[in-house]
Amino acid sequence: DEWHLAVIELGNNGRKLQLLLNRVNLWNWPDERYELLWKHFSIDPSDASLRQQLIAWESSKGNTAGLNRLFARIIELSPNDTNSLNNFAYTSLLLGTNLDRAIEIANNNCKLEPKNPYYVTTRALALYKQGKPQDALQAIEALDIVNLAQPDRINLHTLFLAETGKLQEA
């Protein structure tokens, strides 16, 4: 209860927030640090260092919903940031939310950079979510062997192979 009152008392005061964040770091309270980082992000979403810390935290926790929320806010501020758009689309596809927008983003990014392996991966997942596993398989197999060998792409490639009836290859 005292913790929640302390966070409420901070309001939007950046100085108080930083002092409490320093104390939490000293005490090695990771969950409370995370909560304060999100509060700081809500106050200053343009802070690139803060964004990276939250991305690392959410990734380490496997929190796709948290990543999606983070990228949604980033693209509100920077609607032309294709990497953040791609990350938003990818996490949306994984969550099964905002599918129409995610598919549109995936297609647009692939038109801009058709050889970008991240954009190709997102587009392949978008095709799969549209019920087009054969098209998804063709898209992901267009990647070179180095990019195809990345863990997330191996998983998607295996899924697409299985969905197209190529169980032995999968």
Side-chain angles (χ1 to χ4, degrees):
D1 289 341
E2 288 180 39
W3 170 255
H4 294 293
L5 290 174
V7 172
I8 290 168
E9 189 176 318
L10 292 174
N12 289 338
N13 186 320
R15 185 177 172 279
K16 286 183 179 180
L17 176 67
Q18 192 57 51
L19 288 171
L20 187 55
L21 187 57
N22 290 342
R23 182 65 57 187
V24 164
N25 286 334
L26 183 68
W27 293 334
N28 195 24
W29 288 2
D31 292 337
E32 288 78 5
R33 179 178 187 276
Y34 159 77
E35 184 178 350
L36 291 177
L37 288 176
W38 268 104
K39 182 161 183 69
H40 189 193
F41 179 74
S42 71
I43 295 168
D44 184 12
S46 64
D47 184 330
S49 171
L50 180 59
R51 289 178 181 183
Q52 290 307 313
Q53 290 178 64
L54 284 171
I55 289 168
W57 174 266
E58 297 296 1
S59 295
S60 74
K61 295 296 182 186
N63 186 355
T64 306
L67 286 167
N68 185 260
R69 185 176 76 169
L70 179 65
F71 291 122
R73 182 66 176 118
I74 291 170
I75 64 174
E76 283 178 19
L77 299 172
S78 305
N80 297 320
D81 177 350
T82 54
N83 290 330
S84 293
L85 281 165
N86 186 66
N87 289 329
F88 170 76
Y90 190 78
T91 56
S92 293
L93 291 164
L94 290 174
L95 294 168
T97 60
N98 301 306
L99 292 180
D100 290 339
R101 185 162 185 220
I103 290 165
E104 179 184 355
I105 291 168
N107 289 331
N108 289 341
N109 278 356
C110 255
K111 285 177 189 169
L112 290 173
E113 293 185 48
K115 300 288 185 194
N116 183 314
Y118 297 99
Y119 299 171
V120 170
T121 303
T122 301
R123 184 164 180 276
L125 183 57
L127 289 165
Y128 175 76
K129 290 288 189 167
Q130 293 173 78
K132 302 175 183 176
Q134 184 61 47
D135 293 341
L137 180 61
Q138 287 176 320
I140 204 140
E141 285 184 342
L143 295 171
D144 62 50
I145 192 69
V146 172
N147 283 306
L148 193 54
Q150 300 302 312
D152 58 329
R153 292 189 191 108
I154 290 172
N155 290 337
L156 288 175
H157 188 222
T158 303
L159 173 65
F160 303 157
L161 285 167
E163 287 291 319
T164 56
K166 299 177 181 176
L167 298 178
Q168 196 64 27
E169 289 179 61

